[in-house]
Structures are given as C-alpha cells and as structure tokens.
C-alpha cells in the first residue's frame, strides 16, 4: 500500500529542480512520478511504496544528489 513521504530541504528548490529529483528517484527507487509540489520551495511530498522504496533509501538517494534533507513524519 502506498504511503506519502514528505521531504524538508534546507535549500529552496524551484519546480524544475524538484521534478528532476522526482524523476531520478523514480528511476532509481520506483517512487511515483506524481509528486505533490508544495508552494513552499523547501517542501516536497509524493506517494511511494514503503517496501520497494523505504524512507531511509529515499533519504540516502536525495543526499547522494548533494541536498541537505530530512523526512517529515506524516
């Protein structure tokens, strides 16, 4: 069953950067390409399969891209 993951970035990300990041996560971890972009440039959330792409793997993959990020527990 999918669950939502919310990411809180230290950096402000524009819409294009967020979409590129989601695309990368979709390719690497199978997260949904249907990210829900917040109007706040430092937040991003999307549905994911917790078995295929658990939060700790998402966090590691985003950090590998050079971002300072935390997962917000929903």
């Amino acid at each position: 069953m999918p669950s939502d993951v919310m990411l809180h970035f230290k950096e402000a990300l524009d819409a294009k950067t967020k979409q590129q990041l989601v695309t990368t996560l979709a390719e690497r971890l199978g997260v949904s390409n249907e990210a829900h972009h917040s109007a706040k440039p430092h937040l991003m959330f999307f549905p994911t399969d917790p078995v295929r792409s658990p939060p700790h793997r998402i966090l590691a993959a985003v950090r590998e891209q050079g971002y300072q990020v935390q997962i917000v527990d929903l």
Side-chain angles (χ1 to χ4, degrees):
M1 180 167 104
S3 64
D4 284 341
V5 171
M6 178 181 274
L7 300 178
H8 179 268
F9 292 83
K10 186 171 184 177
E11 306 90 340
L13 305 178
D14 62 26
K16 182 178 178 182
T17 301
K18 286 181 178 182
Q19 189 56 50
Q20 289 172 336
L21 184 56
V22 170
T23 300
T24 299
L25 293 174
E27 291 170 356
R28 291 184 61 193
L29 300 174
V31 302
S32 173
N33 267 330
E34 299 179 22
H36 304 283
H37 298 293
S38 171
K40 298 181 180 182
H42 62 282
L43 295 177
M44 193 171 115
F45 58 101
F46 48 89
T48 184
D49 179 349
V51 174
R52 185 171 177 198
S53 49
H56 71 276
R57 288 189 64 206
I58 293 170
L59 192 62
V62 172
R63 287 180 174 164
E64 285 176 9
Q65 299 295 313
Y67 297 105
Q68 295 181 27
V69 64
Q70 296 177 316
I71 290 183
V72 178
D73 192 18
L74 299 175

